Every structure is written in C-alpha cells, then in structure tokens.
Amino acid sequence: ITPDSDTHNLETSVTGTVSLEAGHKGINMSRIMRVFYDYESRIFTPDLLEEILREYKKTLRAHRAQIKLDFDYPILQTSLRSGLEGWQYYHCAYEGKIDELDRFHKFIHFDYIYSSACPCSSELSEHAREKRNVYGIPHSQRSTARVSVEIAEKEHLTLEAIQGMCLAALQTETQVMVKREDEQAFAEMNGAFTKFVEDAARLLYEQFDADSRVV
C-alpha cells in the first residue's frame, strides 16, 4: 500500500483470452502476455482494460478478446463499539470484454463475507424458551455474496463504493478486530437483520439496480 496515495500495489493474477476468426489457425500464446506487459507500469482501472483489449484485437487479429485481473483488496474497517481498526481483505476482479462488433464491456466482481442469521432458527429458539424454558442458540453462519456488476460506459465505481453498498444492503459484515463489546454489538446486529440467503440476493439486487452507474 502506497502511503498518502490513492494507489495500491497488489499481487494480481491476469487471465487473457482471445477468440479467433474461423479459418485463422492460431497464435503464438506468448503474444497475449507480451501485449499485456506493455501496460505493466500503468495504474490499472477497468477503463484501461479497453486499451489492452483493443491492442489484443489489433495485434492478434482476434474476433473477440477478454481479460480479467484477480486480486485481494484491503479496506480499513473500524470495529462496532471499541474503535479498533483492522484491514478487511476482499477478493475482487476487474474484467473487460470486447466483442465482434467492437463493443467494450467492463465488469467488477466483488466477494463480500457476511453473517446470515437464520430467521427460522431464531423463531424456533424463542419458541423453545417461551414454551419449554429451554435455552437455544439460533443458527448463524458466514456466507459469501459474490457480486458481479457491469459498469456503464464513461462511469466509474470504486471498490470502496461497492463495499459500502453491500454493507447498506446486508448490514452484517464479518468483523476484523473485536473485543467483548464488539461481539455483543455484532450479536445484536445479527438479531436485528436476520435473513435467508435468498433475502440477501434480493437486498443486494435492489441496492445495485438503483444505481445508474450499474448496467
């Protein structure tokens, strides 16, 4: 991470692919990497991928081209009550595609880990306490929301913004640094925002569908 800067130095996995016209026998596979290395000193954004893909099509005489950059992205998270801070890492990917009609599409993929406390289990635990005076712990688990969004042309959506939208939709993101008061706050939050995984999918869809930057 570069101090006092908006850029991050991250280890990144790059996958580049091209589709060839019928009758085109093939390419030297290393040329895909050589084209990419021409841009290795540039700061990568989803928009830069368009430049690379157009160079792919031109240099490799490709019908279609696609490139994907996978990486883990750190965002500083503050605990719920104690004020402790820690880095939460999100598995992300920038992806670009350019089709046979020369149309560019850019995507961001974002894995968001949250707690899905089961509403049914919560009701059953309360029922056992009220009817049989038996103490039960409602079922709760870590779940992964794998968000994939296509970004509108000439629009930009930061990874921090995507994390914020996921948090606004689901509320129960897993925590990094916790003391007893944070554990209590997290338990209370799970109780206030019980959800099935299909509820989570609907909540996320509503959040992203309302944003004009998202196709």
Side-chain angles (χ1 to χ4, degrees), residues 161-207:
I162 292 177
Q163 185 270 344
M165 293 166 75
C166 290
L167 180 60
L170 302 183
Q171 299 291 329
T172 55
E173 181 176 19
T174 56
Q175 301 296 296
V176 179
M177 300 286 282
V178 292
K179 297 177 73 174
R180 286 178 64 87
E181 57 263 43
D182 303 312
E183 290 276 11
Q184 185 183 54
F186 192 59
E188 292 170 3
M189 192 171 291
N190 269 297
F193 297 100
T194 58
K195 64 183 78 68
F196 297 113
V197 291
E198 54 268 38
D199 295 326
R202 295 185 187 102
L203 289 166
L204 285 166
Y205 178 83
E206 289 171 5
Q207 189 74 218

Side-chain angles (χ1 to χ4, degrees), residues 69-159:
L69 278 64
D70 288 278
F71 53 93
D72 290 324
Y73 187 78
I75 297 178
L76 192 63
Q77 184 192 76
T78 303
S79 59
L80 295 173
R81 284 183 181 154
S82 67
L84 295 174
E85 290 185 326
W87 293 100
Q88 183 85 286
Y89 281 80
Y90 302 84
H91 185 72
C92 306
Y94 286 159
E95 183 175 23
K97 298 179 182 180
I98 193 163
D99 62 22
E100 59 274 15
L101 299 178
D102 222 31
R103 296 173 300 195
F104 173 67
H105 303 271
K106 56 184 176 180
F107 304 86
I108 298 177
H109 307 286
F110 191 91
D111 281 6
Y112 184 83
I113 312 299
Y114 70 99
S115 175
S116 53
C118 175
C120 181
S121 177
S122 178
E123 290 177 6
L124 291 171
S125 297
E126 282 298 302
H127 182 272
R129 183 180 62 81
E130 292 172 1
K131 300 298 183 181
R132 298 195 304 279
N133 197 30
V134 175
Y135 175 67
I137 298 177
H139 172 65
S140 179
Q141 64 185 14
R142 285 186 175 216
S143 297
T144 301
R146 183 154 291 164
V147 177
S148 294
V149 293
E150 180 178 355
I151 309 302
E153 186 179 3
K154 297 181 180 178
E155 293 287 356
H156 183 61
L157 193 60
T158 66
L159 298 173

